[in-house]
Amino acid sequence: ANADEVRVRFNAAAAPYVAERFGSEVTWLEGGVLEVRVPGDSERWLTQWVLSFGGDAWGQEPEWARKAVHSAAEAIKGTP
């Protein structure tokens, strides 16, 4: 995978919207989950975009993206 690419996964609740938006760029996985690859050049954009789906999306790879989204979600919840 491209070093600047982030794999983001969406659960079945968000999948129809994401599939409509990304078309043939999506990869369908088990259980109605789908994955898309998006540019990873802006951590701020990435975290805000993923969090805009609530708990229906998460950063999968690379690790920095997973950690960035998790940290941002924790900050929103106000937990340490």
Side-chain angles (χ1 to χ4, degrees), residues 24-76:
S24 61
E25 298 175 52
V26 308
T27 302
W28 287 96
L29 305 168
E30 282 185 41
V33 171
L34 68 73
E35 181 177 282
V36 294
R37 293 170 187 263
V38 294
D41 52 0
S42 171
E43 183 177 314
R44 184 166 183 236
W45 173 84
L46 177 75
T47 54
Q48 290 179 341
W49 183 65
V50 172
L51 292 175
S52 74
F53 290 92
D56 295 333
W58 60 96
Q60 183 68 18
E61 284 184 351
E63 188 175 359
W64 70 260
R66 197 165 53 239
K67 287 182 174 177
V69 171
H70 181 75
S71 296
E74 291 299 305
I76 289 171

